[in-house]
Amino acid sequence: NAGVMQNPRHLVRRRGQEARLRCSPMKGHSHVYWYRQLPEEGLKFMVYLQKENIIDESGMPKERFSAEFPKEGPSILRIQQVVRGDSAAYFCASSPQVAGSGTGELFFGEGSRLTVL
Amino acid sequence: KQEVTQIPAALSVPEGENLVLNCSFTDSAIYNLQWFRQDPGKGLTSLLLIQSSQREQTSGRLNASLDKSSGRSTLYIAASQPGDSATYLCAANPPPGTYKYIFGTGTRLKVLA
């Protein structure tokens, strides 16, 4: 049973380019969460999605960042016109149950490390 | 607003020592608390999850306790090994369990052979 799969593992972009990060949740999981880890900081929640729905995007910057989880295919975190401050590790997590029920356990992927030159 | 603090930020111990990692949180109203391990350049591996109604959880050489009234959780590692070297992260999940975990900045552990 494959875990949470993220790609690419490493991505280098120049300022002003676009970054697309993909996440496939664990088999049977329909809830996806994106977190960002800035250098020397803790992980911070960005967005919570279910299939075709954004449930909570309160942690995501209002500009340049967007996320989707289509009916078919992986969840995508998109960062437009990247700046140096976007350099970070972006982690995806999934869970099998709706928020607020079950154990609340999250299963994380290996992360995508974005470097903006 | 929930804040999570982990002390110490870094710890170096000889192999075989028993050790305790500390996690403090400011709001005692939590849905659960989860301890993770993160190896350099890697993702997070879940170690132990403690529900708000539980006092502790054990897995092998690891034991995690939760004291909501004092806003503290500890991760106890028995008979440490070099393979335990990693960063250990504590994360509190606020009610009603929306998965918006609040993470500490972690304790970087190095176990010397």
Side-chain angles (χ1 to χ4, degrees), chain B residues 68-85:
Chain B
K68 288 197 306 178
S69 61
S70 65
R72 294 179 63 179
S73 177
T74 59
L75 179 67
Y76 176 82
I77 303 177
S80 58
Q81 304 170 356
D84 294 331
S85 298

Side-chain angles (χ1 to χ4, degrees), chain A residues 16-90:
Chain A
Q17 292 184 319
E18 178 180 287
R20 284 194 181 215
L21 310 177
R22 289 176 290 278
C23 167
S24 295
M26 286 181 70
K27 187 176 180 180
H29 290 193
S30 58
H31 305 268
V32 166
Y33 313 83
W34 286 93
Y35 283 76
R36 177 165 68 172
Q37 186 177 37
L38 292 167
E40 304 303 321
E41 292 189 21
L43 277 78
K44 288 189 168 43
F45 167 82
M46 297 181 73
V47 60
Y48 164 32
L49 309 104
Q50 295 176 18
K51 284 285 187 182
E52 299 184 278
N53 285 305
I54 297 174
I55 307 301
D56 183 343
E57 57 183 348
S58 59
M60 199 157 64
K62 295 287 187 287
E63 297 180 355
R64 302 187 298 107
F65 285 73
S66 62
E68 62 177 8
F69 190 15
K71 187 176 180 181
E72 301 291 338
S75 174
I76 295 174
L77 180 66
R78 182 183 178 203
I79 311 172
Q80 295 178 288
Q81 299 176 329
V82 297
V83 301
R84 288 217 174 104
D86 296 333
S87 295
Y90 293 83

Side-chain angles (χ1 to χ4, degrees), chain A residues 9-10 33 35 37 40-45 48 56 58-59 91 95-111 113, chain B residues 31-34 36 38-51 87 89 93 96-106 108:
Chain A
R9 292 290 311 281
H10 300 274
Y33 313 83
Y35 283 76
Q37 186 177 37
E40 304 303 321
E41 292 189 21
L43 277 78
K44 288 189 168 43
F45 167 82
Y48 164 32
D56 183 343
S58 59
F91 289 94
S95 69
Q97 295 135 336
V98 66
S101 67
T103 65
E105 187 172 10
L106 286 186
F107 299 85
F108 280 83
E110 297 264 295
R113 282 153 183 84
Chain B
Y31 185 78
N32 60 30
L33 186 140
Q34 198 165 353
F36 296 89
Q38 185 177 25
D39 292 283
K42 299 288 188 181
L44 278 67
T45 301
S46 178
L47 297 174
L48 290 164
L49 181 144
I50 312 177
Q51 300 295 340
T87 296
L89 300 171
N93 190 8
T98 57
Y99 299 90
K100 292 167 70 172
Y101 276 84
I102 309 298
F103 278 82
T105 51
R108 284 189 306 278

